[in-house]
Amino acid sequence: MNRSLRPPLLAVCLACLWPAAGSAMELCHLRKTPDGFVALRAGPGPQHRLIARMKPEDEVQYGQGRQGKWVEVTRWRGDSRLEQDGFSKGVHGWAFSPLIAKDCG
């Protein structure tokens, strides 16, 4: 393969790791609920499988998906996203948007 046609490896890796312009990672908090948790579901609606019971101290980041009042999110328990070896992978699912703090999304 002609070396001049290959993209620089560093540029490819940075493109994978860095958010696109205008999509800075904004972490949101959950509202307190009477039952003490916000459901993280496998799909956009209460009929979908429960993945996790998110607590108010957990952090979520909005994803691309939206369906009605349901939003796609990634969730981290407390501040677990900051592990010793760097940024940890969160749990992906759907949440009911009125239960996410208004200062986000």
Side-chain angles (χ1 to χ4, degrees):
M1 177 177 196
N2 184 343
R3 289 180 60 87
S4 65
L5 297 178
R6 287 189 299 176
L9 181 59
L10 181 60
V12 172
C13 290
L14 290 176
C16 295
L17 297 175
W18 234 268
S23 68
M25 182 170 179
E26 184 175 7
L27 297 171
C28 310
H29 291 90
L30 303 166
R31 295 177 178 275
K32 291 184 180 181
T33 62
D35 55 6
F37 72 92
V38 174
L40 181 66
R41 298 203 171 267
Q47 73 277 15
H48 292 276
R49 178 178 57 86
L50 179 67
I51 296 173
R53 293 176 184 221
M54 302 185 291
K55 304 287 184 179
E57 61 272 9
D58 292 346
E59 296 177 322
V60 297
Q61 177 189 18
Y62 276 84
Q64 297 296 316
R66 304 244 188 307
Q67 189 171 348
K69 291 187 176 185
W70 288 83
V71 293
E72 191 176 18
V73 299
T74 300
R75 169 260 194 156
W76 291 270
R77 175 167 277 147
D79 63 357
S80 67
R81 64 185 169 77
L82 302 173
E83 294 185 350
Q84 286 182 339
D85 60 346
F87 197 77
S88 73
K89 183 178 179 183
V91 178
H92 177 79
W94 290 78
F96 191 59
S97 64
L99 300 178
I100 300 173
K102 288 235 185 249
D103 63 347
C104 205

